[in-house]
Amino acid sequence: MNKRYFTEWSAVMIENLYYAPATQGEFQIYDLGDIMLECGETLRGAKLAYRTFGTLNAQKSNAILVTTWFSGTGKVMEDVYVGAGHALDPERYFIVIVDQLGGGVSSSPQNTAGPQAMAKFPGLSIGDDVGAQQRLVTDLFGIERLALVVGGSMGGQQVYEWAVRYPEMVERAAPIAATARISLHQRVFVETLKEAITSDPRWNCGWYACGLDVRGGMDRMARIVAVLGWSAQFYQEERWRSVIGMSSLDDFINGVMKAYFEPMDPNVLLAQMHKWQRADVSRHTGGDLAKALTRISARMMIMPISHDQFFPPHECEDDCALVPGALYRVIQSPEGHMGLNGFEPGYMKQVDRYLSELLAA
């Protein structure tokens, strides 16, 4: 390969400051090398971003793994879920927050060089995430058993994958606002999000020069997320005023939803949507969900959000009935799925109470 050709391919990467330390805070990078993905492709030079809090004890028995959700990063989990006064207290536990592959901070379409950059980034799975995370905690920290694995939404799907795939490593598991297998309803919904982005002419089949070029498609996607991400009650009671502090519905859509997604990379969101649509632990057991969930030996607490339209409580309760000895705790939040971000104080109070209960078991 001549030097000019290699340089042109390397230049395909996009510098997006949203995923840089200036925005995301301090994090570390674990070099995974070349990893074989479930799709059969090899992700070359794979890297996993993580951040730690607290101290691992001599027995290595106080480790907690925190996973991330669609569009979310380790910074969000750090700011909302971890700290003094929370169940995830660094004074008591060694907490590892890991950014999922394809999420913008770990190896992702915009920061991967060469022929796997941008639109040619491989199709990832939740299983790829968990396999990489397992290497991180065992090879880097020498942890053989996790006191808790916890995450919300797509992060919760990773929790299920951990509990089914590595039952001997997971002492406790807490999927928040997530199910073990994606519903057909969500698959269709996520397809509309993909189409919102890819129908933008400036998306250019994934070969744009800057994520902001695709602002029209990203704004349409943001409005669609606003439909099911927040509950009907949130809109009926105009809770964008009392909870979010916005002056009107347009103020909320433009100043919160569109502004949230705008700095992100479109290919990053599409890479995560690919995983979201395919999350299913029953693939380990030939499509038999009950058989997959009976593999779980962890003390599991399943925690849906009361008004969630992505992962409705009844779907989470159905999963709970299949997990031996699982606990079921509903987080009351009129905000719906977006309540995960901790906008209202009552949300985190419930989460901390339930996680403390689980950690004490």
Side-chain angles (χ1 to χ4, degrees), residues 246-285:
M246 309 305 285
S247 61
S248 68
L249 183 57
D250 285 341
D251 193 32
F252 167 70
I253 294 295
N254 292 324
V256 175
M257 296 306 298
K258 292 181 180 180
Y260 172 71
F261 286 109
E262 192 168 90
M264 299 179 189
D265 183 84
N267 278 325
V268 164
L269 297 180
L270 290 167
Q272 292 179 294
M273 291 176 200
H274 181 88
K275 290 192 287 185
W276 184 357
Q277 286 184 307
R278 291 161 176 78
D280 182 3
V281 296
S282 74
R283 74 191 191 288
H284 292 293
T285 51

Side-chain angles (χ1 to χ4, degrees), residues 43-193:
L43 179 59
R44 306 190 186 283
K47 294 175 174 57
L48 204 58
Y50 69 96
R51 58 194 74 199
T52 64
F53 307 89
T55 303
L56 186 63
N57 62 23
Q59 297 78 27
K60 299 186 177 183
S61 62
N62 68 332
I64 292 177
L65 181 70
V66 182
T67 55
T68 55
W69 55 63
F70 169 72
S71 78
T73 63
K75 177 63 173 172
V76 175
M77 305 310 294
E78 173 188 348
D79 289 346
V80 178
Y81 288 81
V82 176
H86 288 296
L88 305 185
D89 186 348
E91 291 297 317
R92 298 185 61 192
Y93 301 103
F94 177 63
I95 301 165
V96 181
I97 305 177
V98 61
D99 279 84
Q100 62 178 280
L101 294 168
V105 187
S106 295
S107 286
S108 300
Q110 93 292 351
N111 64 21
T112 296
Q116 292 185 312
M118 301 289 284
K120 291 189 176 179
F121 192 73
L124 299 169
S125 71
I126 296 292
D128 295 326
D129 282 317
V130 171
Q133 293 163 15
Q134 192 268 350
R135 282 185 54 188
L136 173 74
V137 298
T138 56
D139 295 351
L140 185 60
F141 299 114
I143 296 168
E144 296 181 355
R145 190 164 173 83
L146 292 160
L148 171 67
V149 182
V150 57
S153 194
M154 276 188 74
Q157 293 172 326
Q158 294 165 58
V159 173
Y160 272 111
E161 178 74 13
W162 261 102
V164 170
R165 184 170 171 182
Y166 300 112
E168 73 287 350
M169 286 191 66
V170 183
E171 186 173 354
R172 301 175 187 84
I176 305 172
T179 53
R181 178 165 61 191
I182 197 70
S183 69
L184 292 177
H185 174 253
Q186 276 199 68
R187 288 185 190 177
V188 174
F189 174 74
V190 176
E191 198 64 28
T192 68
L193 304 183

